[in-house]
Amino acid sequence: MKDKIKNRLNKTDVTKRLKEMVGTTDPPIVLDENLDKYMNLDVINTIAEEEELVNFLKDRSIELFKIQTKNIIELGRIFSEVYNKLAKSGSKEGVYSKWLECNGVSVRTALRYRNRYEIYLLVDNSKKSLIATLPVKYIEIISSSEYKDKYIESINKDMEIKEIINNLQCNDVIEVKEEIDFVAQYNFKNYENLLTNINERTEKLKEKEKIEIIKYLEKINNILNKN
């Protein structure tokens, strides 16, 4: 009987597992003690000559890196906790973004932290430090990919960090090329009224769909503000 229950739990859907993990009991933050293996400390050798000073600077860099890495995951936990709490309580659209604004955080920035925290929860303990230190661009590729579950599966296997990043970079190039090809084919005038009554039009959408809309609107906004 116990084996049957265990087998059922093992087959639990990834999304369902995530919902059970986020917004309930906060799991402890799991990070490697030797986080320096994710750092490039060689550059410090070029800014000082005395061995004692170099070692001191490296030690402080590692200490700083550990604090920053832990804070990244903690922020993801807080943003996820608030987002899920508001969603469950049926709060009106905009409460979350207003709360973020009160705390000086953009919706896009909070989403990045939440995306990392989501992946952090889904990977094995031995891979959590990898996700905590992975560059933002790769977190975004994993989060937005329709093959996210496959990425999680690959990360949980004993793949080298370079191999994982190379795979993500290849997909990044493919996605960028597809975006360029797509943009060349449409007329911007077709989207002039896109944001008209957007609050009402998106009110009945699923949370996942709202996240996708916010993500792309932020991306569009960033691109337009560059010029």
Side-chain angles (χ1 to χ4, degrees), residues 14-212:
V14 170
T15 304
K16 185 177 180 181
R17 283 196 291 116
L18 183 63
K19 288 182 179 179
E20 291 173 349
M21 296 166 75
V22 179
T24 54
T25 303
D26 297 332
I29 300 220
V30 179
L31 295 174
D32 295 340
E33 290 186 5
N34 55 334
L35 275 178
D36 52 298
K37 67 182 181 181
Y38 299 102
M39 303 175 65
N40 179 16
L41 294 171
D42 292 339
V43 67
I44 296 180
N45 295 327
T46 66
I47 62 176
E49 296 181 358
E50 299 86 352
E51 183 178 355
E52 182 180 353
L53 180 56
V54 169
N55 291 334
F56 170 80
L57 293 175
K58 286 183 177 180
D59 288 341
R60 290 301 172 268
S61 294
I62 293 171
E63 186 177 356
L64 181 62
F65 185 67
K66 287 181 178 180
I67 293 172
Q68 291 174 329
T69 302
K70 183 176 181 181
N71 284 344
I72 285 173
I73 301 303
E74 287 284 13
L75 287 169
R77 177 187 63 79
I78 292 172
F79 294 136
S80 296
E81 186 180 84
V82 173
Y83 181 85
N84 289 314
K85 175 72 174 178
L86 292 175
K88 288 179 181 179
S89 64
S91 297
K92 292 182 180 180
E93 186 69 19
V95 174
Y96 177 68
S97 59
K98 289 178 181 177
W99 175 79
L100 290 175
E101 186 177 351
C102 288
N103 288 279
V105 181
S106 71
V107 173
R108 181 59 182 158
T109 297
L111 180 59
R112 285 176 176 170
Y113 283 111
R114 283 168 45 213
N115 284 340
R116 186 185 295 274
Y117 185 64
E118 175 184 340
I119 300 171
Y120 171 87
L121 290 179
L122 292 174
V123 299
D124 296 338
N125 283 352
S126 61
K127 303 298 179 182
K128 291 190 183 300
S129 291
L130 170 63
I131 296 305
T133 57
L134 202 62
V136 172
K137 62 179 292 187
Y138 301 124
I139 293 295
E140 292 197 337
I141 293 173
I142 296 172
S143 298
S144 61
S145 174
E146 60 180 310
Y147 304 109
K148 181 167 68 174
D149 290 354
K150 294 291 184 182
Y151 277 131
I152 300 298
E153 183 180 339
S154 297
I155 291 170
N156 283 333
K157 292 179 180 178
D158 292 329
M159 290 178 63
E160 293 291 333
I161 177 63
K162 289 183 179 180
E163 184 179 356
I164 295 172
I165 289 179
N166 285 337
N167 290 339
L168 292 173
Q169 285 176 325
C170 288
N171 285 338
D172 193 19
V173 171
I174 292 173
E175 290 181 10
V176 170
K177 183 180 184 304
E178 288 177 348
E179 289 178 2
I180 293 174
D181 290 342
F182 178 72
V183 170
Q185 296 175 10
Y186 66 69
N187 189 335
F188 286 104
K189 290 184 178 180
N190 296 333
Y191 299 89
E192 287 180 343
N193 298 321
L194 181 64
L195 300 182
T196 303
N197 299 323
I198 190 168
N199 286 333
E200 291 79 3
R201 293 167 64 186
T202 58
E203 186 175 354
K204 295 182 179 180
L205 294 179
K206 297 178 180 179
E207 292 301 320
K208 184 177 181 180
E209 293 171 329
K210 291 179 181 179
I211 291 174
E212 285 295 304

